[in-house]
């Protein structure tokens, strides 16, 4: 079991995962999984508050919103594409027995790649076009989406976001973390990739990863 704090020392976000340990025996392009640049996220934030794009002039309340969706235990929701055998955890162990993975497992070399293949197939089934600058960016005429690992950040009108919530929850186990927007019913703050995003009357505030500041302070201390 691997225990990590995805938050910071003040706002802890503890995660525990059962992780395999596969040894890296050389470079293999089939194991590669892309991650989008942070500019992809910043682009969505900018589009959301740009007049004529995210909202019509004088009608900001009916403009676009941003959904923040977390895929729970994402790698376990992707099929294993190799024959991978693992030692069973202590509570299930018996002499001479091991386990063969049907799903991808954290710690195996192709888990991230398998997950990328899984969500790409899902997105393309609903006519999202994969980006040319980054394969983790998806677009269609009504909905714009940035995917970063197991974090989906979605920009669109409320009705389109509701549609996407239904489709993705039918396919994967998800947690809807926030819907950022200008309306009274919308959330005004959310954590995305451990960055704090705040929706204000003046625009969107973007706060860098707090853990980086803690690391700098510790290094200087």
């Amino acid at each position: 079991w691997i225990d990590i704090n995805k938050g910071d020392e003040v706002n802890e976000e503890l995660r525990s995962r059962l992780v395999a340990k596969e040894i890296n025996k050389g470079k293999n392009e089939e194991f590669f999984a892309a991650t989008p640049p942070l500019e992809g996220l910043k682009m969505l934030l900018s589009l959301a508050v740009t007049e004529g794009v995210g909202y019509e002039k004088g009608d900001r309340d009916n403009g676009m919103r941003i959904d923040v969706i977390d895929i729970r235990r994402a790698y376990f929701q992707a099929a294993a594409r190799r024959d991978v055998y693992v030692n069973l955890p202590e509570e299930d162990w018996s002499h001479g027995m091991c386990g063969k993975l049907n799903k991808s497992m954290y710690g195996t070399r192709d888990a991230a790649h398998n997950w990328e293949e899984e969500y790409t197939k899902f997105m393309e089934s609903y006519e999202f076009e994969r980006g040319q600058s980054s394969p983790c960016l998806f677009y269609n005429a009504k909905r714009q989406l940035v995917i970063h690992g197991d974090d989906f950040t979605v920009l669109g009108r409320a009705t389109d976001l509701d549609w996407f919530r239904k489709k993705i929850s039918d396919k994967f186990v998800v947690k809807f973390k926030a819907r950022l927007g200008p309306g009274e019913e919308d959330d005004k703050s959310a954590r995305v990739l451990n960055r704090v995003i705040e929706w204000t009357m003046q625009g969107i505030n973007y706060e860098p990863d707090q853990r980086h500041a803690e690391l700098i302070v510790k290094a200087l201390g």
Side-chain angles (χ1 to χ4, degrees), residues 114-201:
N114 293 346
W115 168 239
E116 182 180 308
E117 291 289 321
E118 190 72 27
Y119 71 67
T120 297
K121 182 171 62 176
F122 163 76
M123 296 298 297
E124 291 179 341
S125 71
Y126 289 105
E127 300 181 348
F128 281 86
E129 297 180 16
R130 203 171 191 183
Q132 296 182 9
S133 62
S134 170
C136 303
L137 307 180
F138 290 83
Y139 170 84
N140 72 18
K142 293 184 178 179
R143 309 168 184 96
Q144 298 174 61
L145 174 65
V146 169
I147 299 175
H148 190 290
D150 55 359
D151 294 306
F152 283 48
T153 307
V154 193
L155 172 67
R157 304 286 177 181
T159 53
D160 294 325
L161 294 178
D162 291 341
W163 173 88
F164 187 77
R165 282 191 176 200
K166 175 65 167 59
K167 297 303 182 183
I168 197 169
S169 60
D170 286 344
K171 178 64 175 178
F172 303 116
V173 179
V174 302
K175 177 182 179 181
F176 300 112
K177 298 175 67 175
R179 174 169 292 180
L180 299 171
E184 293 183 359
E185 74 284 0
D186 297 320
D187 297 306
K188 302 304 177 187
S189 177
R191 191 184 294 268
V192 181
L193 306 179
N194 214 44
R195 276 84 176 165
V196 176
I197 309 298
E198 291 185 309
W199 191 299
T200 73
M201 292 294 294

Side-chain angles (χ1 to χ4, degrees), residues 17-71:
R17 289 194 175 106
L18 187 62
V19 177
K21 184 178 181 180
E22 184 174 5
I23 304 301
N24 186 339
K25 295 182 178 180
K27 186 176 181 180
N28 188 330
E29 293 295 336
E30 293 183 359
F31 296 161
F32 173 78
T35 56
L38 280 174
E39 284 75 13
L41 172 61
K42 294 176 182 178
M43 175 192 70
L44 284 191
L45 302 180
S46 178
L47 291 174
V49 292
T50 298
E51 183 181 289
V53 180
Y55 66 96
E56 300 299 327
K57 185 175 181 180
D59 192 22
R60 194 167 186 177
D61 285 349
N62 290 318
M64 291 185 175
R65 270 72 171 162
I66 294 175
D67 267 6
V68 182
I69 304 173
D70 178 52
I71 308 296

